[in-house]
Amino acid sequence: MTVTLESMRADVAAIIHENPEDIGFEDNLMDLGLDSMRLMNLILAWQEAGVDLDFGEFAEEFTLAGWWRAIEAKRATK
């Protein structure tokens, strides 16, 4: 499985019981109900799919757009 911005949005939506299209890329995901335990579960799944970020990097910004920028930046340095 390759992690994409859309797949991340779908994963977040599933874990907080929302429709993916209802989650904006700049929405604060904590405000939508994502807590640290659920985030850890998502991070573990994404790490298994090849995302090389840890909890601290995801916790810096709680938006999909912020997470995607971090992933792209990390990929660019490889």
Side-chain angles (χ1 to χ4, degrees):
M1 172 182 120
T2 300
V3 175
T4 65
L5 180 56
E6 284 298 329
S7 70
M8 288 175 66
R9 180 161 78 161
D11 292 343
V12 169
I15 209 162
I16 63 171
H17 309 289
E18 294 288 338
N19 293 316
E21 59 272 5
D22 292 338
I23 300 173
F25 295 117
E26 295 291 345
D27 287 350
N28 182 316
L29 299 173
M30 288 186 77
D31 291 346
L32 298 178
L34 185 67
D35 58 34
S36 59
M37 291 304 295
R38 289 178 178 161
L39 175 57
M40 280 301 303
N41 290 333
L42 289 170
I43 291 170
L44 291 172
W46 294 335
Q47 284 174 338
E48 289 177 8
V51 172
D52 186 24
L53 294 177
D54 61 30
F55 183 83
E57 292 166 300
F58 278 98
E60 289 178 17
E61 187 174 349
F62 270 88
T63 67
L64 287 167
W67 292 350
W68 191 248
R69 283 190 293 274
I71 289 169
E72 290 291 289
K74 184 75 95 163
R75 286 179 178 167
T77 61
K78 286 189 173 187

Coordinates of all heavy atoms in Angstrom, one line a residue:
M1 N 0.8 -1.2 0.0 CA 0.0 0.0 0.0 C 0.9 1.3 0.0 O 1.8 1.4 0.8 CB -0.9 0.0 1.2 CG -1.7 1.3 1.4 SD -2.6 1.2 3.0 CE -1.9 2.6 3.8
T2 N 0.6 2.2 -0.9 CA 1.3 3.4 -0.9 C 0.4 4.5 -0.2 O -0.8 4.6 -0.5 CB 1.5 3.9 -2.4 OG1 2.3 2.9 -3.0 CG2 2.2 5.2 -2.4
V3 N 1.0 5.2 0.6 CA 0.3 6.3 1.4 C 0.2 7.5 0.5 O 1.3 8.0 0.0 CB 1.0 6.6 2.7 CG1 0.3 7.8 3.4 CG2 1.0 5.4 3.6
T4 N -1.0 8.0 0.3 CA -1.2 9.2 -0.5 C -2.0 10.2 0.4 O -2.5 9.8 1.5 CB -2.0 9.0 -1.8 OG1 -3.3 8.5 -1.4 CG2 -1.4 8.0 -2.7
L5 N -2.1 11.4 0.0 CA -2.8 12.4 0.8 C -4.3 11.9 0.9 O -4.9 12.0 2.0 CB -2.7 13.8 0.2 CG -3.5 14.9 0.8 CD1 -3.1 15.1 2.3 CD2 -3.2 16.2 0.1
E6 N -4.8 11.4 -0.2 CA -6.2 11.0 -0.2 C -6.4 9.7 0.7 O -7.4 9.6 1.4 CB -6.7 10.7 -1.6 CG -7.0 11.9 -2.4 CD -8.2 12.8 -1.7 OE1 -9.1 12.3 -1.1 OE2 -8.1 14.0 -1.9
S7 N -5.4 8.8 0.7 CA -5.5 7.6 1.5 C -5.4 8.0 3.0 O -6.1 7.4 3.9 CB -4.5 6.6 1.2 OG -3.2 6.9 1.5
M8 N -4.6 9.0 3.3 CA -4.5 9.5 4.7 C -5.8 10.1 5.1 O -6.3 9.8 6.2 CB -3.4 10.5 4.8 CG -2.0 9.9 4.7 SD -0.7 11.2 4.7 CE -0.9 11.8 6.4
R9 N -6.4 10.8 4.3 CA -7.7 11.4 4.6 C -8.8 10.4 4.8 O -9.5 10.4 5.8 CB -8.2 12.4 3.5 CG -9.5 13.1 3.8 CD -9.8 14.3 3.0 NE -10.2 14.0 1.7 CZ -10.8 14.9 0.9 NH1 -11.1 16.1 1.4 NH2 -11.2 14.6 -0.3
A10 N -8.8 9.3 4.0 CA -9.7 8.2 4.2 C -9.4 7.5 5.5 O -10.4 7.1 6.2 CB -9.6 7.3 3.0
D11 N -8.2 7.3 5.9 CA -7.8 6.6 7.1 C -8.3 7.4 8.3 O -8.8 6.9 9.3 CB -6.3 6.4 7.2 CG -5.8 5.3 6.2 OD1 -6.6 4.6 5.6 OD2 -4.6 5.3 6.0
V12 N -8.0 8.7 8.3 CA -8.4 9.6 9.4 C -9.9 9.6 9.5 O -10.5 9.4 10.6 CB -7.9 11.0 9.2 CG1 -8.6 12.0 10.2 CG2 -6.4 11.1 9.3
A13 N -10.6 9.7 8.4 CA -12.1 9.7 8.4 C -12.6 8.4 9.0 O -13.6 8.5 9.8 CB -12.6 9.9 6.9
A14 N -12.1 7.3 8.6 CA -12.5 6.0 9.2 C -12.3 5.9 10.7 O -13.2 5.5 11.4 CB -11.8 4.9 8.5
I15 N -11.2 6.4 11.2 CA -11.0 6.3 12.6 C -11.8 7.3 13.4 O -12.0 7.0 14.6 CB -9.4 6.4 12.9 CG1 -9.1 5.6 14.1 CG2 -9.0 7.8 13.0 CD1 -7.6 5.2 14.2
I16 N -12.2 8.4 12.8 CA -13.1 9.3 13.6 C -14.5 9.3 13.2 O -15.3 10.1 13.6 CB -12.5 10.8 13.5 CG1 -12.5 11.3 12.1 CG2 -11.1 10.9 14.2 CD1 -12.2 12.8 12.0
H17 N -14.8 8.3 12.3 CA -16.2 8.0 11.9 C -16.8 9.2 11.2 O -17.9 9.7 11.5 CB -17.1 7.6 13.1 CG -16.5 6.5 13.9 ND1 -16.4 5.2 13.4 CD2 -15.9 6.4 15.1 CE1 -15.8 4.4 14.2 NE2 -15.5 5.2 15.3
E18 N -16.1 9.8 10.2 CA -16.6 10.8 9.4 C -16.4 10.4 7.9 O -15.8 9.4 7.6 CB -15.7 12.1 9.6 CG -15.9 12.7 10.9 CD -17.2 13.4 11.2 OE1 -17.9 13.8 10.2 OE2 -17.6 13.6 12.4
N19 N -17.1 11.2 7.0 CA -16.9 11.0 5.6 C -15.6 11.7 5.2 O -15.4 12.8 5.6 CB -18.1 11.6 4.8 CG -19.3 10.8 5.1 OD1 -19.3 9.6 5.1 ND2 -20.4 11.5 5.2
P20 N -14.8 11.1 4.3 CA -13.5 11.7 3.9 C -13.7 13.1 3.3 O -13.0 14.0 3.6 CB -13.0 10.7 2.9 CG -13.5 9.4 3.2 CD -14.9 9.7 3.8
E21 N -14.8 13.3 2.5 CA -15.0 14.6 1.9 C -15.4 15.6 2.9 O -15.3 16.8 2.5 CB -16.1 14.4 0.8 CG -17.4 13.9 1.2 CD -17.5 12.4 1.2 OE1 -16.6 11.7 0.9 OE2 -18.7 12.0 1.5
D22 N -15.7 15.3 4.1 CA -16.1 16.3 5.1 C -14.8 16.8 5.9 O -14.9 17.6 6.7 CB -17.1 15.7 6.1 CG -18.4 15.4 5.5 OD1 -18.7 16.0 4.5 OD2 -19.2 14.6 6.1
I23 N -13.7 16.2 5.6 CA -12.4 16.6 6.2 C -11.6 17.4 5.3 O -11.1 16.9 4.2 CB -11.6 15.4 6.7 CG1 -12.5 14.6 7.7 CG2 -10.3 15.8 7.3 CD1 -11.9 13.2 8.1
G24 N -11.4 18.7 5.6 CA -10.6 19.6 4.8 C -9.1 19.3 5.0 O -8.7 18.9 6.1
F25 N -8.3 19.6 4.1 CA -6.8 19.4 4.2 C -6.2 20.3 5.3 O -5.2 20.0 5.8 CB -6.1 19.5 2.9 CG -6.5 18.5 1.9 CD1 -7.2 18.8 0.7 CD2 -6.3 17.1 2.2 CE1 -7.6 17.8 -0.2 CE2 -6.7 16.1 1.3 CZ -7.4 16.5 0.1
E26 N -6.8 21.4 5.6 CA -6.3 22.4 6.6 C -7.1 22.3 7.9 O -6.8 23.1 8.8 CB -6.3 23.8 6.0 CG -5.4 24.0 4.8 CD -3.9 23.9 5.2 OE1 -3.6 24.0 6.4 OE2 -3.1 23.8 4.3
D27 N -8.1 21.4 8.0 CA -8.9 21.3 9.2 C -8.0 20.8 10.3 O -7.1 19.9 10.1 CB -10.0 20.3 9.0 CG -11.1 20.8 8.2 OD1 -11.1 22.0 7.8 OD2 -12.0 20.0 7.8
N28 N -8.2 21.3 11.5 CA -7.5 20.8 12.7 C -8.1 19.5 13.1 O -9.3 19.4 13.5 CB -7.6 21.8 13.9 CG -6.8 21.3 15.1 OD1 -6.9 20.2 15.5 ND2 -6.1 22.3 15.7
L29 N -7.4 18.4 12.9 CA -7.9 17.1 13.2 C -8.3 16.8 14.6 O -9.2 16.0 14.9 CB -7.0 16.0 12.6 CG -6.7 16.2 11.1 CD1 -5.6 15.2 10.6 CD2 -8.0 16.0 10.3
M30 N -7.6 17.5 15.5 CA -8.0 17.3 16.9 C -9.4 17.9 17.2 O -10.2 17.3 17.9 CB -7.0 18.0 17.8 CG -5.7 17.3 17.9 SD -4.5 18.0 19.1 CE -5.3 17.4 20.6
D31 N -9.7 19.0 16.5 CA -11.0 19.6 16.6 C -12.1 18.6 16.1 O -13.3 18.7 16.5 CB -11.1 20.9 15.9 CG -10.3 22.0 16.6 OD1 -9.9 21.8 17.8 OD2 -10.1 23.0 15.9
L32 N -11.7 17.8 15.1 CA -12.7 16.8 14.6 C -12.8 15.5 15.3 O -13.5 14.6 15.0 CB -12.3 16.5 13.1 CG -12.3 17.7 12.1 CD1 -11.8 17.3 10.8 CD2 -13.7 18.3 12.1
G33 N -12.0 15.4 16.4 CA -12.1 14.2 17.3 C -10.9 13.3 17.2 O -10.9 12.2 17.8
L34 N -9.8 13.6 16.5 CA -8.7 12.7 16.5 C -7.8 13.0 17.7 O -7.4 14.1 18.0 CB -7.8 13.0 15.2 CG -6.6 12.1 15.1 CD1 -7.1 10.7 14.7 CD2 -5.7 12.6 14.0
D35 N -7.7 11.9 18.5 CA -6.9 12.0 19.8 C -5.5 11.4 19.6 O -5.3 10.7 18.5 CB -7.6 11.5 21.0 CG -8.0 10.0 20.8 OD1 -7.2 9.3 20.1 OD2 -9.0 9.6 21.3
S36 N -4.6 11.5 20.5 CA -3.3 11.0 20.4 C -3.2 9.4 20.2 O -2.4 8.9 19.5 CB -2.4 11.4 21.6 OG -2.9 10.9 22.8
M37 N -4.1 8.7 20.9 CA -4.1 7.3 20.7 C -4.5 6.8 19.3 O -3.9 5.9 18.8 CB -5.1 6.6 21.8 CG -4.6 6.8 23.2 SD -2.9 6.1 23.5 CE -3.2 4.4 23.1
R38 N -5.5 7.5 18.8 CA -5.9 7.2 17.4 C -4.8 7.6 16.4 O -4.6 6.9 15.5 CB -7.2 7.9 17.1 CG -8.4 7.3 17.8 CD -9.7 8.1 17.4 NE -10.8 7.5 18.1 CZ -11.9 8.1 18.3 NH1 -12.1 9.3 17.9 NH2 -12.9 7.5 18.9
L39 N -4.2 8.7 16.7 CA -3.1 9.1 15.8 C -2.0 8.1 15.9 O -1.4 7.8 14.8 CB -2.5 10.5 16.3 CG -1.3 11.0 15.5 CD1 -1.6 11.0 14.0 CD2 -0.9 12.4 16.0
M40 N -1.6 7.6 17.0 CA -0.6 6.5 17.1 C -1.0 5.3 16.3 O -0.1 4.8 15.6 CB -0.4 6.1 18.6 CG 0.5 7.0 19.4 SD 2.1 7.3 18.7 CE 2.8 5.6 18.6
N41 N -2.2 4.9 16.3 CA -2.6 3.8 15.5 C -2.5 4.1 14.0 O -2.0 3.2 13.2 CB -4.1 3.4 15.8 CG -4.3 2.8 17.1 OD1 -3.4 2.2 17.6 ND2 -5.5 2.9 17.7
L42 N -2.8 5.3 13.6 CA -2.6 5.7 12.2 C -1.2 5.7 11.8 O -0.8 5.2 10.8 CB -3.2 7.1 11.9 CG -4.8 7.2 12.0 CD1 -5.2 8.6 11.9 CD2 -5.3 6.4 10.8
I43 N -0.3 6.3 12.7 CA 1.1 6.4 12.4 C 1.7 5.0 12.2 O 2.5 4.8 11.3 CB 1.8 7.2 13.5 CG1 1.4 8.6 13.4 CG2 3.3 7.0 13.4 CD1 1.9 9.5 14.6
L44 N 1.3 4.1 13.1 CA 1.9 2.7 13.0 C 1.5 2.1 11.6 O 2.3 1.4 11.0 CB 1.4 1.8 14.1 CG 1.9 2.2 15.5 CD1 1.2 1.4 16.6 CD2 3.4 2.0 15.6
A45 N 0.3 2.3 11.2 CA -0.2 1.7 9.9 C 0.6 2.4 8.8 O 1.0 1.7 7.8 CB -1.7 1.9 9.8
W46 N 0.7 3.7 8.9 CA 1.4 4.4 7.8 C 2.9 4.1 7.8 O 3.5 4.0 6.7 CB 1.2 5.9 7.9 CG -0.2 6.3 7.7 CD1 -1.1 5.7 7.0 CD2 -0.8 7.5 8.3 NE1 -2.3 6.4 7.0 CE2 -2.2 7.5 7.8 CE3 -0.4 8.5 9.1 CZ2 -3.1 8.5 8.1 CZ3 -1.3 9.5 9.4 CH2 -2.7 9.5 8.9
Q47 N 3.5 3.8 8.9 CA 4.9 3.4 9.0 C 5.1 2.1 8.3 O 6.1 1.9 7.6 CB 5.4 3.4 10.4 CG 5.7 4.8 11.0 CD 6.1 4.8 12.5 OE1 5.8 3.8 13.2 NE2 6.8 5.8 12.9
E48 N 4.2 1.2 8.5 CA 4.2 -0.1 7.9 C 4.1 0.0 6.4 O 4.6 -0.8 5.6 CB 3.1 -1.1 8.4 CG 3.4 -1.5 9.8 CD 2.2 -2.3 10.4 OE1 1.3 -2.7 9.6 OE2 2.2 -2.6 11.6
A49 N 3.5 1.1 5.9 CA 3.3 1.3 4.5 C 4.5 2.2 3.9 O 4.4 2.5 2.8 CB 2.0 2.0 4.2
G50 N 5.5 2.5 4.8 CA 6.6 3.1 4.3 C 6.8 4.6 4.6 O 7.7 5.3 4.2
V51 N 5.9 5.2 5.4 CA 6.0 6.6 5.8 C 7.1 6.6 6.9 O 7.0 6.0 8.0 CB 4.7 7.1 6.3 CG1 4.9 8.5 6.9 CG2 3.7 7.2 5.2
D52 N 8.1 7.5 6.7 CA 9.2 7.5 7.7 C 9.1 8.8 8.6 O 10.0 9.6 8.6 CB 10.5 7.6 6.9 CG 11.7 7.5 7.7 OD1 11.6 7.0 8.9 OD2 12.8 8.0 7.3
L53 N 8.0 8.9 9.3 CA 7.8 9.9 10.3 C 7.4 9.3 11.6 O 6.8 8.2 11.7 CB 6.7 10.9 9.8 CG 7.0 11.7 8.6 CD1 5.8 12.6 8.3 CD2 8.2 12.6 8.8
D54 N 7.7 10.0 12.7 CA 7.4 9.5 14.0 C 6.3 10.4 14.6 O 5.9 11.4 14.1 CB 8.6 9.4 14.9 CG 9.3 10.7 15.2 OD1 8.6 11.8 15.2 OD2 10.5 10.7 15.4
F55 N 5.8 10.0 15.8 CA 4.7 10.8 16.4 C 5.0 12.2 16.6 O 4.2 13.1 16.3 CB 4.4 10.1 17.8 CG 3.3 10.8 18.5 CD1 2.0 10.4 18.2 CD2 3.5 11.8 19.4 CE1 0.9 11.0 18.8 CE2 2.4 12.4 20.1 CZ 1.1 12.0 19.7
G56 N 6.2 12.6 17.0 CA 6.6 14.0 17.2 C 6.5 14.8 16.0 O 6.0 16.0 16.0
E57 N 6.8 14.2 14.8 CA 6.7 15.0 13.6 C 5.2 15.2 13.2 O 4.9 16.2 12.7 CB 7.5 14.2 12.5 CG 9.0 14.2 12.7 CD 9.7 13.3 11.8 OE1 9.5 12.0 11.9 OE2 10.6 13.7 11.1
F58 N 4.4 14.2 13.4 CA 3.0 14.3 13.2 C 2.3 15.3 14.1 O 1.4 16.0 13.8 CB 2.3 13.0 13.2 CG 2.4 12.2 11.9 CD1 3.3 11.2 11.8 CD2 1.6 12.5 10.8 CE1 3.5 10.5 10.6 CE2 1.7 11.7 9.7 CZ 2.6 10.7 9.6
A59 N 2.8 15.3 15.4 CA 2.2 16.1 16.4 C 2.5 17.6 16.3 O 1.8 18.4 16.9 CB 2.6 15.6 17.8
E60 N 3.4 17.9 15.4 CA 3.8 19.4 15.2 C 2.6 20.1 14.6 O 2.5 21.3 14.9 CB 5.0 19.5 14.4 CG 6.3 19.1 15.1 CD 7.5 19.1 14.2 OE1 7.5 19.8 13.1 OE2 8.5 18.5 14.6
E61 N 1.9 19.5 13.8 CA 0.7 20.1 13.1 C -0.4 19.1 12.9 O -0.1 18.1 12.3 CB 1.2 20.7 11.7 CG 0.2 21.6 11.1 CD 0.7 22.2 9.8 OE1 1.9 22.2 9.6 OE2 -0.2 22.8 9.1
F62 N -1.5 19.4 13.3 CA -2.6 18.4 13.3 C -3.6 18.7 12.1 O -4.8 18.8 12.2 CB -3.4 18.4 14.6 CG -2.9 17.5 15.6 CD1 -1.9 17.8 16.5 CD2 -3.4 16.2 15.6 CE1 -1.4 16.9 17.4 CE2 -2.9 15.3 16.5 CZ -1.9 15.6 17.4
T63 N -3.0 18.8 10.9 CA -3.7 19.0 9.6 C -3.2 18.0 8.6 O -2.0 17.6 8.7 CB -3.7 20.4 9.0 OG1 -2.3 20.6 8.6 CG2 -4.1 21.4 10.0
L64 N -4.0 17.5 7.7 CA -3.6 16.6 6.7 C -2.5 17.3 5.8 O -1.5 16.7 5.4 CB -4.7 16.1 5.8 CG -5.7 15.1 6.5 CD1 -6.9 15.0 5.7 CD2 -5.0 13.8 6.6
A65 N -2.7 18.6 5.5 CA -1.8 19.3 4.7 C -0.4 19.4 5.3 O 0.6 19.2 4.7 CB -2.3 20.7 4.4
G66 N -0.4 19.6 6.6 CA 0.8 19.7 7.4 C 1.6 18.4 7.4 O 2.8 18.3 7.2
W67 N 0.8 17.3 7.6 CA 1.4 16.0 7.6 C 2.0 15.6 6.2 O 3.1 15.1 6.1 CB 0.4 14.9 8.0 CG -0.1 15.0 9.4 CD1 0.5 15.8 10.4 CD2 -1.1 14.3 10.0 NE1 -0.2 15.6 11.6 CE2 -1.2 14.7 11.4 CE3 -2.1 13.4 9.5 CZ2 -2.2 14.2 12.3 CZ3 -3.0 12.9 10.4 CH2 -3.1 13.3 11.8
W68 N 1.2 16.0 5.2 CA 1.7 15.7 3.8 C 3.0 16.5 3.5 O 3.9 15.9 2.9 CB 0.6 15.9 2.8 CG 0.9 15.4 1.5 CD1 1.2 16.0 0.4 CD2 1.1 14.0 1.2 NE1 1.6 15.2 -0.6 CE2 1.5 13.9 -0.2 CE3 1.0 12.8 1.9 CZ2 1.7 12.7 -0.8 CZ3 1.2 11.6 1.3 CH2 1.6 11.5 0.0
R69 N 3.0 17.7 3.9 CA 4.2 18.5 3.7 C 5.4 17.9 4.4 O 6.5 17.8 3.8 CB 4.1 20.0 4.2 CG 3.2 20.8 3.3 CD 3.3 22.3 3.7 NE 2.6 22.5 5.0 CZ 1.3 22.8 5.2 NH1 0.6 22.8 4.1 NH2 0.9 23.0 6.4
A70 N 5.2 17.4 5.6 CA 6.3 16.7 6.3 C 6.7 15.4 5.6 O 7.9 15.1 5.5 CB 5.9 16.4 7.8
I71 N 5.8 14.7 5.1 CA 6.1 13.4 4.4 C 6.9 13.8 3.1 O 7.9 13.1 2.8 CB 4.8 12.6 4.1 CG1 4.3 12.0 5.4 CG2 5.1 11.5 3.0 CD1 2.9 11.4 5.2
E72 N 6.4 14.7 2.4 CA 7.1 15.1 1.1 C 8.5 15.6 1.4 O 9.4 15.3 0.7 CB 6.3 16.2 0.4 CG 5.0 15.6 -0.2 CD 5.3 14.7 -1.3 OE1 5.7 15.1 -2.4 OE2 5.0 13.4 -1.2
A73 N 8.7 16.4 2.5 CA 10.0 16.9 2.8 C 10.9 15.8 3.2 O 12.1 15.8 2.8 CB 9.9 17.9 4.0
K74 N 10.4 14.8 3.9 CA 11.3 13.7 4.3 C 11.6 12.8 3.1 O 12.8 12.4 2.9 CB 10.5 12.8 5.3 CG 11.3 11.6 5.9 CD 12.3 12.1 6.9 CE 11.7 11.9 8.2 NZ 12.7 11.9 9.3
R75 N 10.7 12.7 2.2 CA 11.0 11.9 0.9 C 12.0 12.6 0.1 O 12.8 12.0 -0.6 CB 9.7 11.7 0.1 CG 8.7 10.6 0.8 CD 7.5 10.5 0.0 NE 6.6 9.5 0.6 CZ 5.4 9.3 0.2 NH1 4.8 10.0 -0.7 NH2 4.6 8.3 0.8
A76 N 12.0 13.9 0.1 CA 12.9 14.7 -0.8 C 14.3 14.6 -0.3 O 15.2 14.8 -1.1 CB 12.4 16.2 -0.8
T77 N 14.5 14.3 1.0 CA 15.9 14.2 1.5 C 16.5 12.8 1.3 O 17.6 12.6 1.7 CB 15.9 14.5 3.0 OG1 15.1 13.6 3.7 CG2 15.4 15.9 3.3
K78 N 15.7 11.9 0.8 CA 16.2 10.5 0.6 C 16.9 10.4 -0.7 O 16.7 10.9 -1.7 CB 15.1 9.5 0.7 CG 14.6 9.3 2.1 CD 13.6 8.1 2.1 CE 13.2 7.8 3.5 NZ 12.4 6.7 3.6

